[in-house]
mmCIF file of all heavy atoms in Angstrom:
data_model
loop_
_atom_site.group_PDB
_atom_site.id
_atom_site.type_symbol
_atom_site.label_atom_id
_atom_site.label_comp_id
_atom_site.label_asym_id
_atom_site.label_seq_id
_atom_site.Cartn_x
_atom_site.Cartn_y
_atom_site.Cartn_z
ATOM 1 N N PRO A 306 14.937 104.287 -133.895
ATOM 2 C CA PRO A 306 13.652 104.049 -134.609
ATOM 3 C C PRO A 306 13.872 103.269 -135.903
ATOM 4 O O PRO A 306 13.063 102.485 -136.329
ATOM 5 C CB PRO A 306 13.104 105.448 -134.903
ATOM 6 C CG PRO A 306 14.173 106.393 -134.579
ATOM 7 C CD PRO A 306 15.142 105.731 -133.634
ATOM 8 N N LEU A 307 15.065 103.493 -136.534
ATOM 9 C CA LEU A 307 15.316 102.787 -137.810
ATOM 10 C C LEU A 307 15.533 101.291 -137.562
ATOM 11 O O LEU A 307 15.075 100.471 -138.327
ATOM 12 C CB LEU A 307 16.524 103.405 -138.523
ATOM 13 C CG LEU A 307 16.348 104.840 -138.939
ATOM 14 C CD1 LEU A 307 17.615 105.418 -139.517
ATOM 15 C CD2 LEU A 307 15.213 104.977 -139.972
ATOM 16 N N GLU A 308 16.217 100.973 -136.451
ATOM 17 C CA GLU A 308 16.393 99.546 -136.123
ATOM 18 C C GLU A 308 15.051 98.905 -135.802
ATOM 19 O O GLU A 308 14.769 97.770 -136.140
ATOM 20 C CB GLU A 308 17.350 99.359 -134.953
ATOM 21 C CG GLU A 308 18.763 99.415 -135.393
ATOM 22 C CD GLU A 308 19.741 99.453 -134.182
ATOM 23 O OE1 GLU A 308 19.353 98.969 -133.063
ATOM 24 O OE2 GLU A 308 20.837 100.030 -134.348
ATOM 25 N N MET A 309 14.155 99.665 -135.085
ATOM 26 C CA MET A 309 12.867 99.114 -134.688
ATOM 27 C C MET A 309 12.039 98.859 -135.984
ATOM 28 O O MET A 309 11.318 97.853 -136.084
ATOM 29 C CB MET A 309 12.112 100.073 -133.773
ATOM 30 C CG MET A 309 12.670 100.164 -132.353
ATOM 31 S SD MET A 309 12.912 98.587 -131.562
ATOM 32 C CE MET A 309 11.274 97.956 -131.448
ATOM 33 N N LYS A 310 12.171 99.735 -136.930
ATOM 34 C CA LYS A 310 11.443 99.565 -138.180
ATOM 35 C C LYS A 310 11.876 98.265 -138.878
ATOM 36 O O LYS A 310 11.060 97.482 -139.337
ATOM 37 C CB LYS A 310 11.706 100.751 -139.099
ATOM 38 C CG LYS A 310 10.959 100.704 -140.456
ATOM 39 C CD LYS A 310 11.342 101.888 -141.289
ATOM 40 C CE LYS A 310 11.135 101.587 -142.765
ATOM 41 N NZ LYS A 310 9.779 101.677 -143.242
ATOM 42 N N GLU A 311 13.171 98.024 -138.885
ATOM 43 C CA GLU A 311 13.704 96.804 -139.464
ATOM 44 C C GLU A 311 13.208 95.574 -138.723
ATOM 45 O O GLU A 311 12.829 94.586 -139.318
ATOM 46 C CB GLU A 311 15.258 96.790 -139.358
ATOM 47 C CG GLU A 311 15.937 97.643 -140.391
ATOM 48 C CD GLU A 311 15.692 97.117 -141.795
ATOM 49 O OE1 GLU A 311 15.974 95.944 -142.052
ATOM 50 O OE2 GLU A 311 15.141 97.904 -142.612
ATOM 51 N N LYS A 312 13.193 95.712 -137.352
ATOM 52 C CA LYS A 312 12.918 94.568 -136.553
ATOM 53 C C LYS A 312 11.465 94.162 -136.477
ATOM 54 O O LYS A 312 11.087 92.998 -136.707
ATOM 55 C CB LYS A 312 13.456 94.890 -135.148
ATOM 56 C CG LYS A 312 13.974 93.732 -134.403
ATOM 57 C CD LYS A 312 14.696 94.189 -133.139
ATOM 58 C CE LYS A 312 14.282 93.327 -132.002
ATOM 59 N NZ LYS A 312 14.724 93.846 -130.687
ATOM 60 N N ILE A 313 10.595 95.131 -136.212
ATOM 61 C CA ILE A 313 9.181 94.779 -136.058
ATOM 62 C C ILE A 313 8.243 95.575 -136.979
ATOM 63 O O ILE A 313 7.022 95.352 -136.941
ATOM 64 C CB ILE A 313 8.682 94.973 -134.581
ATOM 65 C CG1 ILE A 313 8.960 96.410 -134.103
ATOM 66 C CG2 ILE A 313 9.288 93.962 -133.637
ATOM 67 C CD1 ILE A 313 8.149 96.760 -132.860
ATOM 68 N N GLY A 314 8.796 96.534 -137.689
ATOM 69 C CA GLY A 314 7.967 97.362 -138.588
ATOM 70 C C GLY A 314 7.558 98.641 -137.876
ATOM 71 O O GLY A 314 7.383 98.648 -136.691
ATOM 72 N N MET A 315 7.445 99.677 -138.671
ATOM 73 C CA MET A 315 7.158 101.005 -138.096
ATOM 74 C C MET A 315 5.783 101.037 -137.395
ATOM 75 O O MET A 315 5.649 101.637 -136.356
ATOM 76 C CB MET A 315 7.183 102.056 -139.251
ATOM 77 C CG MET A 315 7.454 103.421 -138.769
ATOM 78 S SD MET A 315 8.960 103.566 -137.809
ATOM 79 C CE MET A 315 8.545 104.961 -136.819
ATOM 80 N N ASP A 316 4.784 100.366 -137.997
ATOM 81 C CA ASP A 316 3.456 100.429 -137.384
ATOM 82 C C ASP A 316 3.429 99.777 -136.015
ATOM 83 O O ASP A 316 2.809 100.281 -135.101
ATOM 84 C CB ASP A 316 2.418 99.733 -138.293
ATOM 85 C CG ASP A 316 1.904 100.641 -139.361
ATOM 86 O OD1 ASP A 316 2.449 101.755 -139.528
ATOM 87 O OD2 ASP A 316 0.899 100.279 -140.034
ATOM 88 N N ALA A 317 4.105 98.649 -135.885
ATOM 89 C CA ALA A 317 4.103 97.964 -134.560
ATOM 90 C C ALA A 317 4.844 98.828 -133.533
ATOM 91 O O ALA A 317 4.444 98.949 -132.375
ATOM 92 C CB ALA A 317 4.811 96.615 -134.715
ATOM 93 N N PHE A 318 5.901 99.527 -133.975
ATOM 94 C CA PHE A 318 6.661 100.414 -133.086
ATOM 95 C C PHE A 318 5.777 101.537 -132.667
ATOM 96 O O PHE A 318 5.680 101.915 -131.485
ATOM 97 C CB PHE A 318 7.909 100.895 -133.841
ATOM 98 C CG PHE A 318 8.805 101.799 -133.028
ATOM 99 C CD1 PHE A 318 9.251 101.405 -131.777
ATOM 100 C CD2 PHE A 318 9.253 102.987 -133.563
ATOM 101 C CE1 PHE A 318 10.131 102.268 -131.062
ATOM 102 C CE2 PHE A 318 10.150 103.835 -132.869
ATOM 103 C CZ PHE A 318 10.572 103.451 -131.586
#
Side-chain angles (χ1 to χ4, degrees):
L307 296 175
E308 277 171 27
M309 289 309 296
K310 180 181 156 79
E311 282 296 305
K312 214 168 133 191
I313 55 163
M315 202 56 207
D316 274 12
F318 182 50

